[in-house]
Amino acid sequence: MKDRIVSAEVLVCSPTRNFVTLKVVTADGVVGYGDATLNGRELSVASYLRDHVAPLLIGRDPSRIEDTWQYLYRGVYWRRGPVTMAAIGAVDVALWDIKGKTLGQPVYQLLGGAVRDRILSYTHATGWDTAELLDSINAKRAIGFQAVRAQSGVPGLDSVYGVHRGAQGYEPAGRGAYPVEETWDTDAYLNHVPGVLAAVRDHVGPELKILHDAHHRLTPQQAARLGKSVEDLDLYWLEDLTPAEDQNALRLVRQHTTTPLAIGEVFNTIWDCHHLISENLIDFIRVAIVHAGGISHVRKIFALAEVHQVRGGPHGPSDVSPITLGASVHLGMATPNFGIQEFMGYDPLVDEVFPHAWSFDDGYLTPGEQPGIGVEMNEELASLYPYEPAYLPVARRRDGSMTDW
């Protein structure tokens, strides 16, 4: 008789930040873990999993990964969206974890084997002023990073996406019952940031890969202006220049700049990004494994992207758990058109709660050879850190009207 799923449990914990984890157990005692974290809306996914998805898994054959994906996606009239796809993604990664453990192989071997030896990664360098930013870049280079996302403060603003005044790191989610409200000024940003990026390039020379994130805050015209103004700086990419919902906006940007464009961390399915990929309006697609339906679905997105010479650059902030990062590294090892992996790193406590086989060295990530995804969960330790309400900020223009955070 084939092995069957006997339990599916949702675990919510907060070791410095909130994580939602799905634990799937088979009759043979094999345990698979999947990440379902959706920053600022964690409990919505936890409920979706616990109340609607987990009961459907009991008795199913864990080896039928694609069939389970289709069952959970096509079997529900209300499809897509971050909550649904994060829940499906958690199931998918947990089943790949089980498959690898059952066969005694790391997941990348089950995806066709390695097409590279290691995966280039980038991290975040931040500073309220240019001097602080350059110091931050120096520190990241000192630990081996060969690619950094550079974000700085803007004169006249008290807070800016990607930077906390006087802080060494950046944590956008604030604990408490309500989100923090930030004031934003696009004109001030556009007048300031090209000079900052020029100073960065002058400081680091031609070798370091420089990335920058506008976080969906620009109109198509503003985005085109920024892309054109930094062309000679040879950026690795400009990220999320315009709101992702308006995909035609990237067409105007593309017409005015050859600076590489990256977008997609808020996309959840192949249908969200096929237009941008098939019409070559972007250079990197940034879907996260957890938010885009897991390994099974993201590999299809990357396969479409490969046809159009678009590379993968998955979202990988510290608000996806080490399980998602592990899944992303496994997929990257087996994906020819994988470009780069975002890697902010984790607090030591998070690493202790989620011990992992993946590792970072000299600017690169490797998945390790542990069967499955290679990330476990110390459930006893996790239970000491219960969920705490935390929200991402919201942003208003100087006149008080809402804009995109």
PDB file of all heavy atoms in Angstrom, residues 269-288:
ATOM      1  N   THR A 269       1.230  33.940  -9.748  1.00  0.00           N
ATOM      2  CA  THR A 269       1.082  32.856 -10.718  1.00  0.00           C
ATOM      3  C   THR A 269       1.769  33.214 -12.028  1.00  0.00           C
ATOM      4  O   THR A 269       2.128  34.373 -12.264  1.00  0.00           O
ATOM      5  CB  THR A 269      -0.401  32.574 -11.042  1.00  0.00           C
ATOM      6  OG1 THR A 269      -0.939  33.682 -11.775  1.00  0.00           O
ATOM      7  CG2 THR A 269      -1.221  32.327  -9.786  1.00  0.00           C
ATOM      8  N   ILE A 270       1.887  32.240 -12.891  1.00  0.00           N
ATOM      9  CA  ILE A 270       2.461  32.456 -14.210  1.00  0.00           C
ATOM     10  C   ILE A 270       1.610  33.420 -15.022  1.00  0.00           C
ATOM     11  O   ILE A 270       2.118  34.142 -15.881  1.00  0.00           O
ATOM     12  CB  ILE A 270       2.643  31.109 -14.944  1.00  0.00           C
ATOM     13  CG1 ILE A 270       3.593  31.272 -16.133  1.00  0.00           C
ATOM     14  CG2 ILE A 270       1.296  30.508 -15.336  1.00  0.00           C
ATOM     15  CD1 ILE A 270       4.022  29.947 -16.744  1.00  0.00           C
ATOM     16  N   TRP A 271       0.313  33.466 -14.731  1.00  0.00           N
ATOM     17  CA  TRP A 271      -0.581  34.362 -15.464  1.00  0.00           C
ATOM     18  C   TRP A 271      -0.367  35.819 -15.078  1.00  0.00           C
ATOM     19  O   TRP A 271      -0.714  36.714 -15.833  1.00  0.00           O
ATOM     20  CB  TRP A 271      -2.030  33.926 -15.242  1.00  0.00           C
ATOM     21  CG  TRP A 271      -2.253  32.553 -15.791  1.00  0.00           C
ATOM     22  CD1 TRP A 271      -2.465  32.201 -17.086  1.00  0.00           C
ATOM     23  CD2 TRP A 271      -2.226  31.339 -15.039  1.00  0.00           C
ATOM     24  NE1 TRP A 271      -2.586  30.836 -17.198  1.00  0.00           N
ATOM     25  CE2 TRP A 271      -2.442  30.278 -15.964  1.00  0.00           C
ATOM     26  CE3 TRP A 271      -2.044  31.025 -13.699  1.00  0.00           C
ATOM     27  CZ2 TRP A 271      -2.485  28.941 -15.574  1.00  0.00           C
ATOM     28  CZ3 TRP A 271      -2.086  29.693 -13.317  1.00  0.00           C
ATOM     29  CH2 TRP A 271      -2.304  28.669 -14.240  1.00  0.00           C
ATOM     30  N   ASP A 272       0.217  36.060 -13.927  1.00  0.00           N
ATOM     31  CA  ASP A 272       0.531  37.435 -13.517  1.00  0.00           C
ATOM     32  C   ASP A 272       1.700  38.006 -14.299  1.00  0.00           C
ATOM     33  O   ASP A 272       1.796  39.226 -14.475  1.00  0.00           O
ATOM     34  CB  ASP A 272       0.886  37.482 -12.022  1.00  0.00           C
ATOM     35  CG  ASP A 272      -0.269  37.098 -11.125  1.00  0.00           C
ATOM     36  OD1 ASP A 272      -1.419  37.380 -11.491  1.00  0.00           O
ATOM     37  OD2 ASP A 272      -0.015  36.497 -10.064  1.00  0.00           O
ATOM     38  N   CYS A 273       2.601  37.151 -14.746  1.00  0.00           N
ATOM     39  CA  CYS A 273       3.846  37.662 -15.313  1.00  0.00           C
ATOM     40  C   CYS A 273       4.122  37.220 -16.749  1.00  0.00           C
ATOM     41  O   CYS A 273       5.147  37.616 -17.316  1.00  0.00           O
ATOM     42  CB  CYS A 273       5.026  37.281 -14.432  1.00  0.00           C
ATOM     43  SG  CYS A 273       5.098  35.558 -13.947  1.00  0.00           S
ATOM     44  N   HIS A 274       3.231  36.450 -17.366  1.00  0.00           N
ATOM     45  CA  HIS A 274       3.549  35.927 -18.695  1.00  0.00           C
ATOM     46  C   HIS A 274       3.671  37.038 -19.729  1.00  0.00           C
ATOM     47  O   HIS A 274       4.484  36.963 -20.651  1.00  0.00           O
ATOM     48  CB  HIS A 274       2.501  34.893 -19.142  1.00  0.00           C
ATOM     49  CG  HIS A 274       1.235  35.483 -19.657  1.00  0.00           C
ATOM     50  ND1 HIS A 274       0.221  35.917 -18.838  1.00  0.00           N
ATOM     51  CD2 HIS A 274       0.819  35.715 -20.934  1.00  0.00           C
ATOM     52  CE1 HIS A 274      -0.770  36.377 -19.577  1.00  0.00           C
ATOM     53  NE2 HIS A 274      -0.443  36.277 -20.839  1.00  0.00           N
ATOM     54  N   HIS A 275       2.882  38.109 -19.584  1.00  0.00           N
ATOM     55  CA  HIS A 275       2.916  39.221 -20.532  1.00  0.00           C
ATOM     56  C   HIS A 275       4.276  39.926 -20.472  1.00  0.00           C
ATOM     57  O   HIS A 275       4.900  40.198 -21.513  1.00  0.00           O
ATOM     58  CB  HIS A 275       1.778  40.200 -20.206  1.00  0.00           C
ATOM     59  CG  HIS A 275       1.776  41.454 -21.008  1.00  0.00           C
ATOM     60  ND1 HIS A 275       1.442  41.485 -22.336  1.00  0.00           N
ATOM     61  CD2 HIS A 275       2.067  42.731 -20.667  1.00  0.00           C
ATOM     62  CE1 HIS A 275       1.529  42.735 -22.786  1.00  0.00           C
ATOM     63  NE2 HIS A 275       1.902  43.511 -21.791  1.00  0.00           N
ATOM     64  N   LEU A 276       4.741  40.208 -19.277  1.00  0.00           N
ATOM     65  CA  LEU A 276       6.028  40.877 -19.113  1.00  0.00           C
ATOM     66  C   LEU A 276       7.170  40.021 -19.646  1.00  0.00           C
ATOM     67  O   LEU A 276       8.126  40.536 -20.240  1.00  0.00           O
ATOM     68  CB  LEU A 276       6.275  41.191 -17.639  1.00  0.00           C
ATOM     69  CG  LEU A 276       5.375  42.235 -16.987  1.00  0.00           C
ATOM     70  CD1 LEU A 276       5.677  42.354 -15.509  1.00  0.00           C
ATOM     71  CD2 LEU A 276       5.516  43.574 -17.664  1.00  0.00           C
ATOM     72  N   ILE A 277       7.065  38.722 -19.439  1.00  0.00           N
ATOM     73  CA  ILE A 277       8.119  37.821 -19.891  1.00  0.00           C
ATOM     74  C   ILE A 277       8.075  37.641 -21.404  1.00  0.00           C
ATOM     75  O   ILE A 277       9.086  37.806 -22.096  1.00  0.00           O
ATOM     76  CB  ILE A 277       7.990  36.455 -19.179  1.00  0.00           C
ATOM     77  CG1 ILE A 277       8.327  36.601 -17.682  1.00  0.00           C
ATOM     78  CG2 ILE A 277       8.892  35.418 -19.836  1.00  0.00           C
ATOM     79  CD1 ILE A 277       8.036  35.362 -16.865  1.00  0.00           C
ATOM     80  N   SER A 278       6.912  37.316 -21.935  1.00  0.00           N
ATOM     81  CA  SER A 278       6.814  36.976 -23.352  1.00  0.00           C
ATOM     82  C   SER A 278       7.063  38.166 -24.263  1.00  0.00           C
ATOM     83  O   SER A 278       7.456  37.992 -25.426  1.00  0.00           O
ATOM     84  CB  SER A 278       5.438  36.367 -23.657  1.00  0.00           C
ATOM     85  OG  SER A 278       4.397  37.303 -23.398  1.00  0.00           O
ATOM     86  N   GLU A 279       6.873  39.375 -23.758  1.00  0.00           N
ATOM     87  CA  GLU A 279       7.128  40.564 -24.569  1.00  0.00           C
ATOM     88  C   GLU A 279       8.446  41.246 -24.195  1.00  0.00           C
ATOM     89  O   GLU A 279       8.714  42.373 -24.619  1.00  0.00           O
ATOM     90  CB  GLU A 279       5.958  41.539 -24.453  1.00  0.00           C
ATOM     91  CG  GLU A 279       4.658  40.921 -24.964  1.00  0.00           C
ATOM     92  CD  GLU A 279       3.598  41.943 -25.310  1.00  0.00           C
ATOM     93  OE1 GLU A 279       3.957  43.120 -25.523  1.00  0.00           O
ATOM     94  OE2 GLU A 279       2.414  41.563 -25.355  1.00  0.00           O
ATOM     95  N   ASN A 280       9.271  40.530 -23.426  1.00  0.00           N
ATOM     96  CA  ASN A 280      10.611  41.012 -23.075  1.00  0.00           C
ATOM     97  C   ASN A 280      10.608  42.411 -22.476  1.00  0.00           C
ATOM     98  O   ASN A 280      11.469  43.238 -22.766  1.00  0.00           O
ATOM     99  CB  ASN A 280      11.536  40.977 -24.300  1.00  0.00           C
ATOM    100  CG  ASN A 280      11.833  39.572 -24.755  1.00  0.00           C
ATOM    101  OD1 ASN A 280      11.356  39.136 -25.791  1.00  0.00           O
ATOM    102  ND2 ASN A 280      12.617  38.839 -23.976  1.00  0.00           N
ATOM    103  N   LEU A 281       9.653  42.662 -21.584  1.00  0.00           N
ATOM    104  CA  LEU A 281       9.560  43.962 -20.930  1.00  0.00           C
ATOM    105  C   LEU A 281      10.375  44.016 -19.643  1.00  0.00           C
ATOM    106  O   LEU A 281      10.513  45.082 -19.043  1.00  0.00           O
ATOM    107  CB  LEU A 281       8.101  44.309 -20.642  1.00  0.00           C
ATOM    108  CG  LEU A 281       7.195  44.399 -21.876  1.00  0.00           C
ATOM    109  CD1 LEU A 281       5.769  44.750 -21.471  1.00  0.00           C
ATOM    110  CD2 LEU A 281       7.733  45.415 -22.878  1.00  0.00           C
ATOM    111  N   ILE A 282      10.908  42.867 -19.224  1.00  0.00           N
ATOM    112  CA  ILE A 282      11.739  42.804 -18.029  1.00  0.00           C
ATOM    113  C   ILE A 282      12.940  41.911 -18.309  1.00  0.00           C
ATOM    114  O   ILE A 282      12.969  41.156 -19.285  1.00  0.00           O
ATOM    115  CB  ILE A 282      10.976  42.269 -16.798  1.00  0.00           C
ATOM    116  CG1 ILE A 282      10.388  40.877 -17.094  1.00  0.00           C
ATOM    117  CG2 ILE A 282       9.897  43.243 -16.367  1.00  0.00           C
ATOM    118  CD1 ILE A 282       9.725  40.219 -15.898  1.00  0.00           C
ATOM    119  N   ASP A 283      13.922  41.983 -17.413  1.00  0.00           N
ATOM    120  CA  ASP A 283      15.119  41.159 -17.525  1.00  0.00           C
ATOM    121  C   ASP A 283      15.197  40.099 -16.428  1.00  0.00           C
ATOM    122  O   ASP A 283      15.870  39.088 -16.600  1.00  0.00           O
ATOM    123  CB  ASP A 283      16.362  42.052 -17.453  1.00  0.00           C
ATOM    124  CG  ASP A 283      16.370  43.072 -18.577  1.00  0.00           C
ATOM    125  OD1 ASP A 283      16.751  42.722 -19.702  1.00  0.00           O
ATOM    126  OD2 ASP A 283      15.963  44.230 -18.318  1.00  0.00           O
ATOM    127  N   PHE A 284      14.525  40.351 -15.296  1.00  0.00           N
ATOM    128  CA  PHE A 284      14.519  39.418 -14.178  1.00  0.00           C
ATOM    129  C   PHE A 284      13.098  39.300 -13.643  1.00  0.00           C
ATOM    130  O   PHE A 284      12.418  40.314 -13.439  1.00  0.00           O
ATOM    131  CB  PHE A 284      15.428  39.900 -13.040  1.00  0.00           C
ATOM    132  CG  PHE A 284      16.887  39.932 -13.394  1.00  0.00           C
ATOM    133  CD1 PHE A 284      17.449  41.060 -13.968  1.00  0.00           C
ATOM    134  CD2 PHE A 284      17.706  38.838 -13.144  1.00  0.00           C
ATOM    135  CE1 PHE A 284      18.797  41.114 -14.294  1.00  0.00           C
ATOM    136  CE2 PHE A 284      19.052  38.879 -13.465  1.00  0.00           C
ATOM    137  CZ  PHE A 284      19.600  40.012 -14.045  1.00  0.00           C
ATOM    138  N   ILE A 285      12.668  38.067 -13.374  1.00  0.00           N
ATOM    139  CA  ILE A 285      11.368  37.838 -12.752  1.00  0.00           C
ATOM    140  C   ILE A 285      11.595  37.443 -11.298  1.00  0.00           C
ATOM    141  O   ILE A 285      12.406  36.553 -10.993  1.00  0.00           O
ATOM    142  CB  ILE A 285      10.549  36.767 -13.508  1.00  0.00           C
ATOM    143  CG1 ILE A 285       9.170  36.625 -12.888  1.00  0.00           C
ATOM    144  CG2 ILE A 285      11.284  35.435 -13.609  1.00  0.00           C
ATOM    145  CD1 ILE A 285       8.307  37.855 -13.021  1.00  0.00           C
ATOM    146  N   ARG A 286      10.875  38.111 -10.365  1.00  0.00           N
ATOM    147  CA  ARG A 286      11.235  38.071  -8.948  1.00  0.00           C
ATOM    148  C   ARG A 286      10.242  37.318  -8.075  1.00  0.00           C
ATOM    149  O   ARG A 286      10.178  37.519  -6.873  1.00  0.00           O
ATOM    150  CB  ARG A 286      11.362  39.509  -8.429  1.00  0.00           C
ATOM    151  CG  ARG A 286      12.415  40.296  -9.153  1.00  0.00           C
ATOM    152  CD  ARG A 286      13.461  40.913  -8.279  1.00  0.00           C
ATOM    153  NE  ARG A 286      13.031  41.327  -6.981  1.00  0.00           N
ATOM    154  CZ  ARG A 286      13.456  40.753  -5.841  1.00  0.00           C
ATOM    155  NH1 ARG A 286      14.309  39.751  -5.875  1.00  0.00           N
ATOM    156  NH2 ARG A 286      13.032  41.196  -4.685  1.00  0.00           N
ATOM    157  N   VAL A 287       9.461  36.414  -8.653  1.00  0.00           N
ATOM    158  CA  VAL A 287       8.492  35.684  -7.832  1.00  0.00           C
ATOM    159  C   VAL A 287       9.198  34.926  -6.710  1.00  0.00           C
ATOM    160  O   VAL A 287      10.289  34.384  -6.894  1.00  0.00           O
ATOM    161  CB  VAL A 287       7.666  34.695  -8.676  1.00  0.00           C
ATOM    162  CG1 VAL A 287       6.691  35.433  -9.568  1.00  0.00           C
ATOM    163  CG2 VAL A 287       8.561  33.780  -9.498  1.00  0.00           C
ATOM    164  N   ALA A 288       8.532  34.895  -5.549  1.00  0.00           N
ATOM    165  CA  ALA A 288       9.041  34.131  -4.407  1.00  0.00           C
ATOM    166  C   ALA A 288       8.429  32.739  -4.426  1.00  0.00           C
ATOM    167  O   ALA A 288       7.246  32.574  -4.749  1.00  0.00           O
ATOM    168  CB  ALA A 288       8.687  34.835  -3.097  1.00  0.00           C
TER     169      ALA A 288
END
